[in-house]
Amino acid sequence: MTGMLLAPRTTSDAFLSAARAAGVRAGHDAARADRERRLSADVVAGLVEAGFSRALVPARHGGTGTDFATLTEAVAAVGEGCASAAWTGSLLAYTARFAACLPAEGQAEIWADGPDTRLVSSLVSTGATAVPADGGWRVTGTWTYASGVDFSDWALVMTVAPGVEGQEQARFFAIPRSAYRIEETWDTVGMRATGSHTVVVDEVTVPAHRTFLMDDMFTGQGAVSDELRHAQPLFAVNGLTFAAPVLGAARAALKLSGGALADKVARGTEPAEALQIAHARAAGEIDAAALLLTRAAQGVDRARATDDVLVRNRRDCALATRLLRAAVDALLHAGGTRGQSMSDPLQRIWRDVNSAASHMVLQFDAAALAFTRGFLDAARAGKSS
């Protein structure tokens, strides 16, 4: 796209190395985090130190220019240690991309203390309102599923507000940590440590420079940035946000499976052929999913997504997640009762993968229908002409 700056790849090796270290740190704490439903401050600090919070920040505010392919692998690397930590790190990165749609004054306020501001977001509100006020808006409401909110500095929340000629428009509002409270509402089967609690805002005035239209973010046309990664339409990249942690978790499950097979051999027992076949199939499905995600990421690293690329990326991220979930399901089944013990990490990974795969963005049916809609509409138009 003319005038857009491609992200440099000079820091990719250092970022990936730091992400792997953060993943090891998260892995050591994963069982406790799952049990207590909370990442430790040390694990979150490791994600920030690795560079997740600054990965997609505009360069003028200290962002590192990380490309989507590198970010996807970095998130997956953390996911091999702890899926909840990977999910949190991924959202730290991608929410900063949202904030690139704020006016320049708003961006300067968000990143006034540097690029490692911890941003969270939520589009799911209950009775939220935004009414015009002097120089901005008066915002009230509750927003659920704000992953990582316990460690946040700012929250980006969305609600409908009066627009041009009285028509309502969906808007995002940037709220500082001092202006919202947190209700602990997240208690789930899987992804327990993401801390995806509820943000509560009571009659907070948000100045105009700390708000932007949702459509600007969805289309990528409203980014106040000349960097390509901020100009991508949402559906071209947001599947990567949620699929990458699942990829890492599936790789961890495969390592556990391989270790169990090797242990049998070490004890003088030949693993059943059915177990070997299940392991091989899962390995292939995980590799196939990784290739799909890599293509999706590399495509949006090279150019602004066309409509065709957008629907393909959406399809591929959802399909990759299906492959990963199927692989982990098979590995748990092959592991027998041992793998289902609460002391065995495989059951935690299985719970995390199935919980993450239920995310709205990763649903294959909706992505499939979006993928076929374009050429079917063309076929219908050709038939009627």
Side-chain angles (χ1 to χ4, degrees), residues 317-334:
C317 289
L319 180 57
T321 302
R322 276 202 171 186
L323 291 170
L324 295 168
R325 184 179 62 186
V328 174
D329 283 351
L331 292 173
L332 182 79
H333 178 75

Side-chain angles (χ1 to χ4, degrees), residues 27 30-31 34 78-84 189-191 245-257 286 324-325 327-329 331-332 339-342 344-357:
D34 176 72
V78 175
E80 292 189 43
C82 174
S84 288
V189 171
M191 302 297 287
V246 183
L247 173 61
R251 286 172 171 169
L254 188 68
K255 287 181 180 178
L256 291 171
S257 170
I286 292 167
L324 295 168
R325 184 179 62 186
V328 174
D329 283 351
L331 292 173
L332 182 79
Q340 297 175 40
S341 168
M342 290 304 291
D344 194 300
L346 183 57
Q347 56 77 27
R348 185 187 71 248
I349 293 170
W350 177 78
R351 289 187 286 109
D352 285 343
V353 165
N354 276 273
S355 182

Side-chain angles (χ1 to χ4, degrees), residues 99-194:
C101 291
L102 286 166
E105 185 181 353
Q107 292 186 33
E109 189 173 351
I110 291 283
W111 291 299
D113 296 324
D116 286 330
T117 299
R118 301 174 186 185
L119 291 158
V120 299
S121 62
S122 176
L123 285 71
V124 184
S125 62
T126 303
T129 60
V131 296
D134 290 343
W137 306 82
R138 194 77 170 168
V139 179
T140 296
T142 60
W143 287 265
T144 53
Y145 310 131
S147 298
V149 69
D150 282 336
F151 304 96
S152 61
D153 299 315
W154 289 79
L156 293 176
V157 296
M158 188 273 289
T159 191
V160 172
V164 179
E165 297 180 354
Q167 293 185 347
E168 292 186 329
Q169 294 175 297
R171 279 187 170 273
F172 275 90
F173 298 89
I175 314 285
R177 179 65 187 88
S178 59
Y180 59 86
R181 70 179 191 274
I182 301 167
E183 289 185 357
E184 293 198 4
T185 54
W186 184 251
D187 189 6
T188 57
V189 171
M191 302 297 287
R192 290 169 57 80
T194 61

Side-chain angles (χ1 to χ4, degrees), residues 243-313:
V246 183
L247 173 61
R251 286 172 171 169
L254 188 68
K255 287 181 180 178
L256 291 171
S257 170
L261 293 177
D263 285 345
K264 287 181 180 292
V265 173
R267 295 196 303 268
T269 302
E270 189 66 20
E273 287 187 355
L275 297 182
Q276 297 178 53
I277 292 168
H279 180 84
R281 181 183 177 94
E285 288 173 333
I286 292 167
D287 283 349
L291 289 170
L292 286 171
L293 296 180
T294 297
R295 182 177 70 170
Q298 289 178 344
V300 289
D301 281 331
R302 297 188 186 108
R304 191 174 191 277
T306 61
D307 288 344
D308 288 346
V309 170
L310 186 155
V311 294
R312 188 189 72 192
N313 277 12

